[in-house]
Amino acid sequence: LQTLTFGNPTNRQIAAGWWDAPVAILDENGNVCGKIVNQNGTYVSYHDNVEVVSKKTMSGHHGGYVELTVAMPSEWSLRKEDK
């Protein structure tokens, strides 16, 4: 399992749709091979080998923080995208 925590975007990022921007799934070479998308507060994986196991939200400045726990190959990684 891998965990990604993101949040506290700037006002400019919020205005550009930062909370709706996807999380990129990166393979062992750093190439984007899929995405995790926020669909009305539920994060959905668009890759057969990746499953969002849990989502935790924490209050904070500019919308707080989101922590995703994801089941995926250990050599892969996650990166929050800007919109």
Side-chain angles (χ1 to χ4, degrees):
L1 296 176
Q2 296 192 36
T3 301
L4 175 68
T5 303
F6 55 90
N8 192 24
T10 65
N11 286 331
R12 181 172 284 148
Q13 287 172 311
I14 292 169
W18 190 83
W19 285 110
D20 295 324
V23 171
I25 302 167
L26 308 173
D27 66 15
E28 61 275 3
N29 297 316
N31 299 314
V32 176
C33 63
K35 294 186 184 247
I36 297 173
V37 177
N38 179 359
Q39 293 182 346
N40 299 318
T42 300
Y43 285 82
V44 178
S45 170
Y46 286 92
H47 193 289
D48 290 341
N49 292 332
V50 177
E51 177 185 354
V52 178
V53 176
S54 69
K55 176 191 94 170
K56 178 181 175 183
T57 58
M58 296 156 276
S59 61
H61 199 61
H62 289 183
Y65 298 87
V66 172
E67 179 181 278
L68 299 178
T69 301
V70 180
M72 58 191 279
S74 61
E75 63 274 4
W76 291 8
S77 60
L78 300 167
R79 178 182 70 213
K80 177 69 171 101
E81 300 285 286
D82 279 329
K83 198 149 195 180

